[in-house]
Amino acid sequence: MDNSGDSSTHAWSTPVGAGIAGCLGGVILLGGAVLVSNDPGGSVLMGIAGILLVGLGVYTLVVRPRLELTAGYPATLTVRGLTGRRSYTPDRVERIRLLSMRRVGRRVGQLEIDVLDDDAEPVRPNDGTGKDGPRDDTRLLVFSRWDLGTDLISVVDELRAAGFHVDDAR
């Protein structure tokens, strides 16, 4: 049965407002760096912070969507970065984990996706060691709520529904 025509797309990225706010905050810091030019140390620090904040804002506006899921047969997971897009089918995804950890007194989530390198075989090579863990020919992709702009549990639910296996380590 061919379901290739039956597909839906879900995309996740940092909210546009956050990117705009980062750019505006960076411009304000740069303006402040000019205003306090009589304090060279403070001016340099504010200038560096402003440049970094503008860079982060531009990054969040340019790299959209950060993660995209096209359901169907086969499902495709597309990751976007500064160097472009890469797409992975379930046989190219080694592991997906949802982690929850304590940081600064509160719980934060993290979505980890181990994907096979372009030249890796989809079947685990039998090296005789019997070790069970991440392969040496995988790439680790890490996403937070900031990267995806939504609750990570909803992203995990969509990935599961599309046929990806997810290890939930909450």
Side-chain angles (χ1 to χ4, degrees):
M1 183 163 94
D2 182 23
N3 293 334
S4 58
D6 181 30
S7 65
S8 61
T9 301
H10 301 279
W12 300 279
S13 57
T14 306
V16 173
I20 292 171
C23 290
L24 290 175
V27 168
I28 290 170
L29 281 173
L30 288 171
V34 172
L35 289 176
V36 297
S37 59
N38 59 346
D39 177 18
S43 183
V44 168
L45 288 177
M46 284 182 72
I48 290 171
I51 290 170
L52 291 174
L53 196 53
V54 167
L56 178 64
V58 168
Y59 173 80
T60 60
L61 294 172
V62 169
V63 181
R64 303 183 64 77
R66 187 74 174 99
L67 186 67
E68 185 176 15
L69 173 67
T70 305
Y73 186 78
T76 306
L77 189 61
T78 303
V79 180
R80 178 141 187 218
L82 285 176
T83 58
R85 296 174 184 256
R86 289 185 174 239
S87 297
Y88 304 97
T89 55
D91 66 326
R92 304 299 295 174
V93 176
E94 181 72 14
R95 178 174 65 177
I96 299 175
R97 293 187 332 164
L98 177 62
L99 301 174
S100 179
M101 59 200 84
R102 279 190 130 358
R103 286 201 183 144
V104 193
R106 65 184 195 99
R107 290 201 121 0
V108 294
Q110 183 171 303
L111 181 65
E112 293 184 351
I113 304 174
D114 286 305
V115 295
L116 296 176
D117 286 337
D118 294 337
D119 57 346
E121 293 294 324
V123 177
R124 181 182 287 272
N126 185 2
D127 58 1
T129 63
K131 81 176 183 181
D132 186 30
R135 294 169 43 167
D136 293 335
D137 52 358
T138 60
R139 179 177 306 125
L140 176 64
L141 308 171
V142 180
F143 301 98
S144 67
R145 182 179 173 93
W146 169 262
D147 294 314
L148 303 181
T150 189
D151 186 36
L152 296 179
I153 294 173
S154 65
V155 175
V156 165
D157 291 341
E158 293 291 338
L159 292 173
R160 270 197 193 108
F164 289 91
H165 174 72
V166 180
D167 298 331
D168 195 346
R170 286 180 280 155

